[in-house]
């Protein structure tokens, strides 16, 4: 749906909201105040702003809010993404609707465009050493009037799924705690004992290191009661930020604190909050900064923690204790070519044949490292004078041969048996794989999947015909239902042995990726159900590639036999 906006004053969105600490908790009010209201601020005060669709229907604020909310769900809504990106690009000063980042990262894109930072891609990598630390130094030196470049550098380098607040130094954070104590005292008559207790513990928190992070909620439905700690602390941080920004604007200088709105979904109902010391970032090594944010991302990705009303829950407490026993990780590579490739992928006009799939499969296998032991065995011989020639052992001028047994990674196939795929649909692809396995002389590990995952079995190919193997395959119990790829990712990542295999998903690509970033197995690839309508396959595959950009930007390289 294409939207057109007229008579609107282009906006620069501010993440600062002040959702009340009393009454019902409604994050949508914050979305309306910070994102929707600026879109309806008229350029000419005598005429209203009009947002209309292609059919001439006008959208009111509630409808516009609903469109934005459609982009903040658990899965990627491609149509809503395109519509809202186009609307935001028309109605804001700084935004690039061609950015592959989701609407959920709107503020990161806004800051990136404002500071002319290229969009992060597989060939444009942001690092602590080349981006985050220099931006922190600029902010400290007063070379910029806001933390936009510092914020965008962290967002582009690490994409943390949290809400952050930055402070110029540990002293600036201490100033906030002093202000917080006075503000909390004014509410002491209505604050419950649990909130007062947690605020007291927060007052003892130090920000001398790079960050400090807290767990606020187990999910969006918890800790939303009146005057809960989660509501009070975010309200206070936002109010303090607003005051500091107003004072800095009056003095024409950089503020001492501000918000880091990494995700819209965390901005209005944060599960965690990260407090950031800019000075510590400016003076730290690149490895230390990178490890800190990797630790935060790891902690966020761990299972949901129980939030206590008695004890302040630190986000990175357990991972920090475990990290002390590990060697510091190496810094990622420096930023490379700044012209990223588009998420648009050109697929073949015809489905792949046996030769296409074999070519791509062997290419991937050759790039993978050999393993100590697997079902994928091959012999390699070489000439040497160290060993006598078997036909003429007395002639030392004739070399002998040394035959060594080597192992390539196992092949593990996951076949989509959801309701949209019948046996005849995946039969051709499976038979093709069986033929390849026979040609490569390997056994195959196998799971079927829908919204469930079947038990793992091994299909042995030695001394069997393709038809015999196919008949054995048909006798293996299959699961049915919906489609869910994430369970495959979790299944592979949970086992180092499975992670070393070449995993291949045979599917019709009718699946919507999650909106949050999750770990995609590095050795997982995808192939189409060849007997299905090819235009339908490529339609869903294109949407799959586009929706997966925030998880695996180079997904097109994992589509075996499909890319032209």
């Amino acid at each position: 749906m294409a939207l057109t906006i007229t008579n609107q004053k282009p906006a620069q969105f501010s993440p600062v909201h002040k959702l009340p600490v009393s009454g019902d908790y409604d994050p949508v009010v914050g979305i309306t105040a910070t994102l929707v209201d600026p879109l309806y601020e008229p350029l000419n005060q005598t005429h209203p702003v009009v947002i209309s669709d292609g059919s001439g229907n006008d959208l009111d604020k509630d409808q516009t809010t609903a469109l934005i909310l459609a982009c903040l769900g658990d899965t990627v809504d491609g149509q809503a993404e395109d519509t809202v990106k186009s609307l935001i690009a028309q109605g804001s000063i700084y935004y690039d609707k061609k950015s592959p980042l989701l609407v959920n990262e709107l503020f990161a894109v806004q800051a990136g465009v404002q500071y002319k930072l290229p969009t992060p891609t597989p060939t444009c990598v942001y690092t602590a050493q080349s981006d985050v630390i220099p931006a922190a130094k600029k902010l400290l030196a007063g070379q910029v009037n806001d933390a936009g470049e510092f914020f965008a550098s962290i967002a582009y380098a690490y994409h943390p799924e949290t809400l952050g607040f930055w402070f110029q130094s540990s002293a600036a954070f201490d100033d906030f705690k002093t202000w917080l104590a006075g503000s909390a005292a004014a509410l002491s008559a209505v604050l419950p004992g649990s909130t007062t207790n947690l605020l007291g513990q927060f007052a003892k928190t130090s920000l001398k290191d790079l960050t400090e992070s807290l767990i606020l909620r187990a999910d969006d439905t918890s800790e939303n009661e009146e005057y809960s700690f989660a509501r009070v602390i975010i309200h206070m941080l936002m109010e303090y930020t607003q005051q500091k920004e107003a004072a800095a604007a009056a003095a024409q200088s950089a503020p001492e604190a501000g918000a880091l709105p990494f995700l819209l979904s965390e901005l209005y109902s944060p599960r965690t909050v990260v407090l950031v010391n800019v000075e510590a970032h400016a003076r730290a090594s690149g490895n230390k900064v990178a490890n800190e944010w990797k630790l935060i991302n790891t902690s966020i990705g761990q299972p949901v923690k129980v939030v206590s009303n008695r004890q302040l829950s630190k986000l990175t407490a357990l991972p920090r204790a475990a990290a002390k026993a590990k060697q510091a990780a190496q810094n990622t590579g420096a930023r490379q070519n700044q012209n990223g490739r588009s998420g648009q992928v050109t697929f073949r006009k015809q489905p792949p044949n046996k030769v296409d799939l074999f070519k791509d499969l062997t290419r991937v296998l050759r790039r993978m490292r050999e393993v100590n032991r697997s079902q994928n065995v091959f012999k390699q011989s070489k000439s040497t004078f160290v060993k006598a020639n078997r036909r003429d052992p007395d002639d030392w001028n004739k070399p002998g041969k040394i035959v060594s047994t080597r192992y390539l990674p196992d092949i593990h196939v996951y076949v989509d048996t959801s309701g949209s795929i019948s046996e005849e649909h995946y039969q051709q692809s499976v038979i093709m794989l069986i033929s390849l396995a026979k040609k490569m002389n390997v056994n195959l590990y196998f799971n079927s999947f829908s919204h469930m995952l079947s038990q793992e079995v091994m299909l042995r190919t030695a001394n069997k015909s393709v038809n015999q193997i196919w008949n054995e395959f048909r006798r293996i119990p299959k699961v049915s239902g919906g489609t869910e790829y994430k369970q495959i990712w979790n299944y592979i990542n949970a086992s180092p042995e499975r992670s070393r295999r070449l995993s291949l998903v045979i599917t019709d690509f009718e699946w919507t990726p999650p909106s949050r970033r999750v770990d995609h197995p590095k050795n997982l690839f995808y192939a189409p159900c060849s007997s299905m309508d090819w235009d339908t396959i490529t339609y869903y595959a294109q949407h799959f590639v586009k929706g997966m950009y925030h998880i695996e930007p180079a997904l097109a390289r994992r589509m075996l036999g499909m890319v032209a």
Side-chain angles (χ1 to χ4, degrees):
M1 178 173 62
L3 298 179
T4 303
I5 185 169
T6 56
N7 193 44
Q8 183 255 354
K9 182 180 179 181
Q12 182 173 1
F13 300 105
S14 169
V16 179
H17 63 79
K18 289 198 297 182
L19 291 172
V21 294
S22 61
D24 293 335
Y25 188 64
D26 186 6
V28 177
V29 174
I31 295 176
T32 303
T34 57
L35 299 180
V36 179
D37 286 349
L39 290 175
Y40 282 86
E41 183 177 349
L43 184 63
N44 185 336
Q45 298 297 325
T46 61
H47 295 83
V49 175
V50 176
I51 299 178
S52 59
D53 60 20
S55 301
N57 301 313
D58 296 344
L59 274 67
D60 58 23
K61 287 187 178 182
D62 289 342
Q63 291 171 311
T64 304
T65 301
L67 271 177
I68 295 174
L69 286 173
C71 299
L72 306 183
D74 292 333
T75 58
V76 177
D77 186 332
Q79 182 175 353
E81 287 283 329
D82 291 341
T83 301
V84 174
K85 282 184 176 181
S86 176
L87 177 62
I88 296 298
Q90 293 179 63
S92 64
I93 303 174
Y94 305 111
Y95 193 74
D96 179 11
K97 68 178 181 180
K98 295 182 180 180
S99 172
L101 300 185
L102 300 177
V103 171
N104 209 0
E105 295 185 79
L106 180 153
F107 282 101
V109 176
Q110 176 179 262
V113 172
Q114 180 181 0
Y115 281 90
K116 297 180 174 57
L117 302 179
T119 301
T121 67
T123 57
C124 180
V125 180
Y126 285 77
T127 68
Q129 190 64 49
S130 61
D131 301 287
V132 177
I133 293 175
K137 290 181 177 179
K138 286 182 183 179
L139 183 58
L140 282 185
Q143 296 181 19
V144 290
N145 288 331
D146 60 51
E149 185 175 359
F150 177 67
F151 160 61
S153 297
I154 296 176
Y156 282 0
Y158 307 109
H159 303 282
E161 297 182 351
T162 185
L163 171 61
F165 288 89
W166 65 271
F167 295 88
Q168 195 176 69
S169 62
S170 61
F173 179 67
D174 290 340
D175 291 342
F176 166 70
K177 290 192 296 182
T178 301
W179 175 90
L180 176 63
S183 300
L187 295 174
S188 59
V190 294
L191 290 180
S194 58
T195 299
T196 302
N197 175 43
L198 292 176
L199 286 172
Q201 295 181 39
F202 182 85
K204 300 176 183 178
T205 302
S206 170
L207 193 56
K208 293 182 179 180
D209 209 340
L210 293 171
T211 68
E212 183 58 84
S213 47
L214 305 174
I215 303 171
L216 301 180
R217 295 178 173 85
D219 53 53
D220 292 341
T221 62
S222 63
E223 303 301 319
N224 293 332
E225 301 82 9
E226 282 189 312
Y227 301 107
S228 66
F229 175 75
R231 291 179 65 173
V232 169
I233 193 64
I234 296 301
H235 177 87
M236 294 298 186
L237 283 164
M238 287 293 183
E239 186 170 342
Y240 186 76
T241 293
Q242 190 176 55
Q243 291 183 15
K244 287 298 178 182
E245 288 182 349
Q252 296 185 343
S253 62
E256 297 177 358
L260 300 171
F262 297 111
L263 291 182
L264 295 181
S265 55
E266 288 293 307
L267 176 59
Y268 308 102
S269 184
R271 294 172 300 168
T272 58
V273 62
V274 176
L275 309 172
V276 178
N277 184 332
V278 177
E279 182 183 18
H281 276 71
R283 306 190 192 285
S285 67
N287 280 344
K288 184 175 181 180
V289 173
N291 291 337
E292 182 76 7
W293 286 99
K294 288 176 184 177
L295 181 65
I296 289 171
N297 283 338
T298 300
S299 303
I300 292 171
Q302 288 180 347
V304 176
K305 300 90 178 168
V306 177
V307 181
S308 171
N309 288 328
R310 298 182 178 179
Q311 187 67 35
L312 207 61
S313 301
K314 300 292 185 69
L315 174 65
T316 57
L318 290 178
R320 284 188 195 282
K324 289 181 180 179
K326 296 181 180 180
Q327 184 179 4
Q330 294 294 324
N331 190 26
T332 55
R335 185 189 302 180
Q336 299 175 4
N337 182 5
Q338 297 191 354
N339 294 319
R341 294 179 60 185
S342 170
Q344 194 74 15
V345 180
T346 302
F347 291 112
R348 296 175 183 268
K349 296 185 181 298
Q350 300 294 329
N353 55 34
K354 181 178 177 180
V355 174
D356 297 327
L357 197 57
F358 178 75
K359 180 180 177 181
D360 282 359
L361 201 60
T362 52
R363 170 181 56 81
V364 170
L365 272 174
R366 287 171 182 168
R367 290 182 178 179
M368 295 175 67
R369 293 182 178 179
E370 295 179 12
V371 294
N372 293 332
R373 182 75 60 177
S374 72
Q375 300 293 322
N376 195 349
V377 186
F378 71 99
K379 305 284 186 180
Q380 187 175 48
S381 63
K382 64 178 180 179
S383 299
T384 176
F385 287 97
V386 175
K387 188 174 181 180
N389 186 286
R390 290 183 62 187
R391 297 195 176 191
D392 196 353
D394 294 330
D395 189 347
W396 296 100
N397 292 319
K398 292 183 178 180
K401 286 186 178 181
I402 294 179
V403 179
S404 59
T405 301
R406 308 179 77 172
Y407 300 91
L408 286 174
D410 283 318
I411 300 177
H412 195 141
V413 181
Y414 298 84
V415 176
D416 189 344
T417 55
S418 61
S420 60
I421 301 178
S422 64
E423 181 177 305
E424 63 177 347
H425 284 155
Y426 61 72
Q427 178 179 357
Q428 182 178 344
S429 295
V430 172
I431 289 179
M432 185 183 297
L433 280 171
I434 292 173
S435 300
L436 294 179
K438 289 284 295 178
K439 185 174 182 179
M440 300 168 71
N441 194 29
V442 298
N443 296 323
L444 296 177
Y445 288 93
F446 168 80
N447 289 80
S448 66
F449 75 95
S450 57
H451 64 285
M452 302 179 293
L453 196 63
S454 74
Q455 185 175 351
E456 179 181 307
V457 296
M458 181 186 291
L459 290 175
R460 300 189 179 276
T461 62
N463 302 318
K464 295 178 183 178
S465 67
V466 172
N467 286 335
Q468 286 176 321
I469 300 170
W470 168 247
N471 289 330
E472 288 185 13
F473 171 82
R474 293 179 62 187
R475 288 194 290 268
I476 299 173
K478 314 292 190 306
V479 296
S480 61
T483 305
E484 177 56 74
Y485 293 170
K486 190 171 179 290
Q487 62 180 333
I488 300 175
W489 304 348
N490 295 338
Y491 182 69
I492 295 172
N493 289 333
S495 168
E497 180 183 353
R498 288 192 290 269
S499 297
R500 288 190 291 268
R501 298 173 185 169
L502 192 165
S503 298
L504 182 65
V505 175
I506 298 178
T507 180
D508 60 356
F509 300 102
E510 284 194 52
W511 183 69
T512 305
S515 57
R516 294 187 177 275
R517 284 180 167 80
V518 291
D519 289 335
H520 187 279
K522 65 177 182 179
N523 294 324
L524 177 61
F525 297 81
Y526 301 84
C529 293
S530 302
S531 61
M532 297 184 68
D533 179 72
W534 188 243
D535 289 338
T536 302
I537 286 277
T538 54
Y539 171 81
Y540 285 113
Q542 189 67 256
H543 282 270
F544 177 55
V545 171
K546 184 177 180 180
M548 282 284 291
Y549 191 91
H550 62 297
I551 296 174
E552 175 49 89
L555 188 66
R557 302 175 187 174
R558 299 177 180 271
M559 315 285 273
L560 300 188
M562 294 191 66
V563 180

